[in-house]
Amino acid sequence: MASLKDLRNRIASVKATQKITKAMQMVAAAKLRRAETAAAAARPYAERMERVLSNLATGMKDSPLAPRLLAGTGDDKRHLLVVVTADRGLCGGFNSSIARLARDHARRLLAEGRQVEFLCVGRKGADILRRQFPGKLDDVISLREVKSVGFDTAVSIAERVTDMFAEDKFDVATLFYSKFKSVVSQIPTAQQIVPAEVPEGDETTDLLKGAIYEYEPSEEEILEELLPRNVAIQVLKALLENAASEQGARMSAMDNATRNAGEMIKKLSLDYNRTRQAQITKELIEIISGAEAL
């Protein structure tokens, strides 16, 4: 049985940890509101970009004049998985759920005889995937020093992807991130960004709601400009969704940790009181036994 001193030390330690988890929960709650607002503001722009590209690319995908970012290389043997996670932990299963989705996707591709390479944005995802896929990690982009994720950050990542595509290092690029739904629900998502996916048939009509557009200059020129920007927009959306999801997951995880610390303090306090009571009872018995012996 632990001594009274040990129990006091454990109670003090758990109380200190509880203060830290409570503070982290409050900080995450404050950051969550800003991150959620930014993610919600980016969604309509990303969706509108997809609609415009769908309208432009519907008749261009099979054309010999189609830009390479739309038509692809004509093969799908080499895959680049862009895995966006956090640089910090203590956010529950947020990082592991994204890495798990990327891992399962990679294993399916490898089972089909395709080549897989990872580009990780965030150290936590890189740490997980490096152990499971040694030698397949191309690079790790850390955003630890970035105070606020903006379009410039997304552009630098998108340029890295498009440069690799221009250098013929992969055929298909898929983006993995966590879509924010609520504080307790974040949805791991996979989205192909190179070559750009174009809805077919009725799906395209639904996106455009029956509208027909004419563009000036030609569709080829507009696509040459919009396709790289679309990659940046989709990366920005992923970064903002991830930022909101990370804070939501951290807020939920720290709330659970604070509650668990409270329950542990109650249990340790009960053990402490029982041990103290038993020790006092033992001392009383010894005093009474000594008095009776006299």
Side-chain angles (χ1 to χ4, degrees), residues 45-174:
Y45 190 78
E47 291 171 359
R48 178 59 64 180
M49 175 67 81
E50 289 177 347
R51 291 182 182 180
V52 172
L53 284 177
S54 297
N55 187 20
L56 282 167
T58 299
M60 288 289 302
K61 190 169 180 64
D62 299 323
S63 170
L65 299 176
R68 198 161 178 261
L69 281 173
L70 176 65
T73 62
D75 205 347
D76 66 342
K77 290 183 178 179
R78 298 165 300 168
H79 287 254
L80 177 69
L81 309 188
V82 184
V83 184
V84 184
T85 58
D87 283 291
R88 298 175 176 84
L90 297 178
C91 48
F94 167 73
N95 293 308
S96 59
S97 61
I98 300 173
R100 188 183 305 113
L101 180 65
R103 177 199 66 194
D104 294 343
H105 186 74
R107 286 178 175 172
R108 284 196 300 270
L109 293 173
L110 291 171
E112 295 170 0
R114 291 172 171 81
Q115 301 175 18
V116 172
E117 198 168 12
F118 293 94
L119 175 62
C120 292
V121 181
R123 293 187 305 108
K124 289 299 179 180
D127 293 341
I128 297 171
L129 295 170
R130 185 182 287 112
R131 295 192 299 268
Q132 298 176 349
F133 299 93
K136 296 188 180 297
L137 198 64
D138 178 80
D139 197 6
V140 180
I141 300 174
S142 176
L143 302 180
R144 194 178 184 89
E145 303 302 324
V146 178
K147 294 183 178 180
S148 179
V149 174
F151 189 62
D152 291 342
T153 307
V155 167
S156 65
I157 298 172
E159 286 178 348
R160 176 67 181 274
V161 174
T162 53
D163 288 345
M164 291 176 67
F165 185 66
E167 294 168 5
D168 204 30
K169 292 186 176 180
F170 66 86
D171 300 313
V172 179
T174 306

Side-chain angles (χ1 to χ4, degrees), residues 5-271:
K5 182 179 179 181
D6 291 338
L7 288 171
R8 281 197 300 268
N9 289 339
R10 288 192 63 188
I11 290 172
S13 176
V14 175
K15 283 183 177 179
T17 302
Q18 187 184 39
K19 289 180 181 179
I20 295 172
T21 57
K22 183 64 176 177
M24 291 184 68
Q25 177 191 351
M26 295 174 67
V27 171
K31 290 182 177 179
L32 173 62
R33 181 172 297 179
R34 295 194 298 270
E36 185 179 359
T37 301
R43 286 173 195 155
Y45 190 78
E47 291 171 359
R48 178 59 64 180
M49 175 67 81
E50 289 177 347
R51 291 182 182 180
V52 172
L53 284 177
S54 297
N55 187 20
L56 282 167
T58 299
M60 288 289 302
K61 190 169 180 64
D62 299 323
S63 170
L65 299 176
R68 198 161 178 261
L69 281 173
L70 176 65
T73 62
D75 205 347
D76 66 342
K77 290 183 178 179
R78 298 165 300 168
H79 287 254
L80 177 69
L81 309 188
V82 184
V83 184
V84 184
T85 58
D87 283 291
R88 298 175 176 84
L90 297 178
C91 48
F94 167 73
N95 293 308
S96 59
S97 61
I98 300 173
R100 188 183 305 113
L101 180 65
R103 177 199 66 194
D104 294 343
H105 186 74
R107 286 178 175 172
R108 284 196 300 270
L109 293 173
L110 291 171
E112 295 170 0
R114 291 172 171 81
Q115 301 175 18
V116 172
E117 198 168 12
F118 293 94
L119 175 62
C120 292
V121 181
R123 293 187 305 108
K124 289 299 179 180
D127 293 341
I128 297 171
L129 295 170
R130 185 182 287 112
R131 295 192 299 268
Q132 298 176 349
F133 299 93
K136 296 188 180 297
L137 198 64
D138 178 80
D139 197 6
V140 180
I141 300 174
S142 176
L143 302 180
R144 194 178 184 89
E145 303 302 324
V146 178
K147 294 183 178 180
S148 179
V149 174
F151 189 62
D152 291 342
T153 307
V155 167
S156 65
I157 298 172
E159 286 178 348
R160 176 67 181 274
V161 174
T162 53
D163 288 345
M164 291 176 67
F165 185 66
E167 294 168 5
D168 204 30
K169 292 186 176 180
F170 66 86
D171 300 313
V172 179
T174 306
L175 183 65
F176 294 86
Y177 64 97
S178 186
K179 187 174 182 179
F180 179 79
K181 187 175 181 181
S182 68
V183 173
V184 295
S185 177
Q186 299 87 36
I187 306 171
T189 304
Q191 179 184 359
Q192 180 178 310
I193 54 175
V194 179
E197 286 189 310
V198 180
E200 298 179 358
D202 295 338
E203 189 175 352
T204 304
T205 305
D206 292 340
L207 285 172
L208 301 174
K209 297 182 179 179
I212 298 174
Y213 298 92
E214 291 186 1
Y215 293 94
E216 181 67 31
S218 65
E219 286 89 341
E220 296 91 338
E221 295 179 63
I222 298 175
L223 284 172
E224 286 286 357
E225 180 69 25
L226 282 188
L227 285 168
R229 180 173 289 269
N230 176 61
V231 176
I233 290 297
Q234 301 309 322
V235 170
L236 176 63
K237 182 183 74 171
L239 292 174
L240 294 177
E241 292 282 354
N242 252 28
S245 297
E246 179 188 352
Q247 298 305 330
R250 179 170 290 116
M251 180 180 170
S252 180
M254 292 301 101
D255 180 56
N256 291 334
T258 303
R259 293 174 185 271
N260 291 338
E263 293 176 3
M264 185 176 290
I265 290 170
K266 289 180 182 179
K267 183 177 181 300
L268 289 172
S269 298
L270 184 60
D271 291 342

